[in-house]
């Protein structure tokens, strides 16, 4: 459980840093945004896994599906 929490905190910090770099035009926003969306999708899937462990099946399914959708959007916007 502690590893999952550390991973979520690490991803959150990375998302905030990348967002700030994109906002201040240090990095190109067209490159940073799909990476941010990918990390947010992974965080949703991790949240779904955590809910599944806590026996909250409906919440877990919705979080996992929303995470997969965000990852799909990230990949789709990268290539098109």
């Amino acid at each position: 459980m502690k590893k999952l929490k550390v991973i979520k905190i690490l991803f959150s910090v990375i998302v905030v840093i990348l967002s700030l770099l994109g906002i201040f035009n240090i990095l190109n926003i067209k490159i940073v945004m799909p990476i941010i969306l990918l990390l947010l999708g992974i965080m949703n899937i991790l949240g779904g896994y955590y809910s599944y462990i806590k026996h909250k099946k409906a919440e877990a399914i919705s979080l996992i599906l929303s995470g997969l959708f965000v990852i799909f959007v990230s990949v789709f916007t990268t290539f098109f």
Side-chain angles (χ1 to χ4, degrees):
M1 294 297 175
K2 290 186 179 184
K3 289 182 183 179
L4 186 64
K5 192 172 185 178
V6 170
I7 291 171
K8 288 175 73 173
I9 290 171
L10 181 67
F11 280 174
S12 299
V13 169
I14 292 171
V15 165
V16 169
I17 290 171
L18 287 175
S19 299
L20 290 174
L21 291 175
I23 288 173
F24 293 121
N25 289 328
I26 296 170
L27 293 176
N28 190 358
I29 196 70
K30 291 181 180 179
I31 296 171
V32 172
M33 189 56 72
I35 296 170
I36 292 172
L37 286 174
L38 184 68
L39 291 173
L40 290 176
I42 293 171
M43 285 176 54
N44 269 348
I45 291 173
L46 289 175
Y49 176 70
Y50 181 75
S51 295
Y52 185 78
I53 291 173
K54 294 293 183 181
H55 302 291
K56 298 178 183 177
K57 305 276 192 253
E59 182 180 338
I61 290 172
S62 66
L63 282 171
I64 290 172
L65 289 177
S66 68
L68 290 174
F69 178 73
V70 170
I71 290 172
F72 173 75
V73 168
S74 170
V75 171
F76 186 75
T77 57
T78 301
F79 293 118
F80 295 108

